[in-house]
């Protein structure tokens, strides 16, 4: 537990600092993350062909991060897809092809979306800080809520330790964090309820991202993506919730680009 808390605080501090300064600082942080995650995915999905799997995934993910740092998200998606398909052509079955292509996209696209969110407009920093607050609150309360309350398991075949009480505690914490963000960013009072719902939805999405990562690890027969982070496992194990939430927020803002202007008041 001590190692888990210490490494969590270090990672949270580094992530918040990089997000605050943005630009090359956040791009470098995302680049470092995709290097680690590309290795972890190759290690899980293709342990007997680790190097080519790692190289293709890394090339696609780093290119996507680079394009996203220039706000060229469409180029990031195209480059990532090309590299993913090229890597998938190495595989000899449809299932393995889908695993390779899907895995490379799973690694690179959330990081590209995350960078795009930070620099997409004047509310970029507030968007990222709200994401951090909601996901961190959700993860912490889901973990300790499940430990302290216990009760029925969600899916023992996927993750033997996850409980419904943890899910409920996490979603409630995400909703509370969303409400807190509405005060922090001085949103209009009539938007408090919207922030409450946003926090709950983002928190639930993050928890489902964590459960999906558990499914992938069971699929490949590993306990953790790697042992890079003491007490947590791998980078994929640590930021799976944030990756899922970034995709959700990115999709929402693609269809409602002025949403953040409505949700945030005078900001920081």
């Amino acid at each position: 537990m001590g190692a888990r808390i210490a490494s969590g605080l270090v990672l949270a501090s580094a992530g918040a600092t990089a997000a605050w300064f943005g630009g090359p600082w956040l791009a470098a942080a995302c680049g470092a993350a995709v290097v680690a995650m590309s290795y972890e995915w190759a290690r899980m999905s293709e342990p007997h062909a680790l190097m080519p799997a790692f190289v293709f995934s890394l090339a696609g993910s780093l290119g996507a991060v680079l394009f996203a740092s220039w706000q060229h998200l469409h180029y990031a998606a195209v480059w990532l897809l090309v590299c993913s398909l090229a890597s998938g052509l190495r595989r000899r079955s449809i299932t393995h092809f889908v695993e390779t292509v899907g895995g490379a996209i799973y690694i690179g696209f959330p990081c590209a979306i995350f960078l795009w969110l930070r620099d997409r407009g004047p509310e970029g920093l507030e968007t990222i800080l709200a994401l951090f607050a909601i996901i961190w609150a959700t993860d912490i309360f889901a973990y300790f809520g499940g430990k302290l309350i216990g009760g029925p398991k969600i899916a023992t075949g996927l993750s033997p330790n996850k409980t419904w009480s943890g899910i409920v505690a996490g979603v409630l914490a995400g909703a509370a964090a969303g409400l807190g963000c509405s005060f922090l960013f001085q949103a209009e009072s009539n938007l408090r309820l919207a922030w409450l719902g946003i926090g709950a939805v983002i928190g639930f999405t993050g928890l489902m991202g964590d459960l999906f990562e558990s499914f992938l690890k069971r699929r490949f027969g590993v306990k953790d993506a790697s042992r890079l982070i003491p007490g947590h496992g791998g980078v994929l194990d640590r930021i799976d919730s944030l990756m899922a939430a970034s995709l959700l927020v990115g999709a929402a803002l693609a269809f409602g680009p002025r949403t953040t202007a409505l949700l945030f008041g005078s900001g920081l």
Side-chain angles (χ1 to χ4, degrees), residues 102-212:
I105 295 173
Y106 173 62
I107 296 300
F109 201 53
C111 291
I113 289 284
F114 188 79
L115 270 173
W116 175 77
L117 287 173
R118 172 60 179 86
D119 295 326
R120 63 175 291 274
E123 305 87 17
L125 175 59
E126 287 87 343
T127 302
I128 295 301
L129 294 180
L131 259 178
F132 278 160
I134 293 168
I135 289 299
W136 290 344
T138 298
D139 284 348
I140 291 169
F141 278 83
Y143 179 81
F144 286 105
K147 288 284 186 183
L148 296 174
I149 300 172
K153 308 292 185 180
I154 295 173
T156 54
L158 295 182
S159 183
N161 296 321
K162 288 184 173 61
T163 62
W164 285 107
S165 61
I167 292 289
V168 172
V171 171
L172 290 176
L179 182 62
C181 287
S182 71
F183 289 98
L184 176 64
F185 299 122
Q186 302 174 34
E188 297 291 336
S189 58
N190 61 343
L191 294 174
R192 305 283 191 232
L193 187 61
W195 268 105
L196 194 73
I198 288 169
V201 171
I202 291 176
F204 180 76
T205 302
L207 292 172
M208 292 303 100
D210 184 42
L211 193 62
F212 179 67

Side-chain angles (χ1 to χ4, degrees), residues 37-109:
M37 291 190 293
S38 294
Y39 162 74
E40 291 170 351
W41 182 261
R43 172 183 173 270
M44 289 194 301
S45 64
E46 295 186 67
H48 302 299
L50 192 150
M51 189 52 64
F54 171 66
V55 169
F56 274 104
S57 178
L58 182 61
S61 297
L62 279 181
V65 165
L66 185 63
F67 280 122
S69 69
W70 296 331
Q71 287 293 287
H72 295 310
L73 193 58
H74 292 88
Y75 293 156
V78 170
W79 172 257
L80 187 56
L81 182 60
V82 168
C83 292
S84 302
L85 291 173
S87 184
L89 293 176
R90 301 178 296 103
R91 309 306 299 272
R92 296 183 179 181
S93 72
I94 295 296
T95 300
H96 290 157
F97 175 84
V98 171
E99 284 177 358
T100 298
V101 174
I105 295 173
Y106 173 62
I107 296 300
F109 201 53

Side-chain angles (χ1 to χ4, degrees), residues 243-260:
M243 291 165 66
S246 296
L247 290 176
L248 172 69
V249 174
L253 294 183
F255 289 100
R258 299 308 304 159
T259 303
T260 51

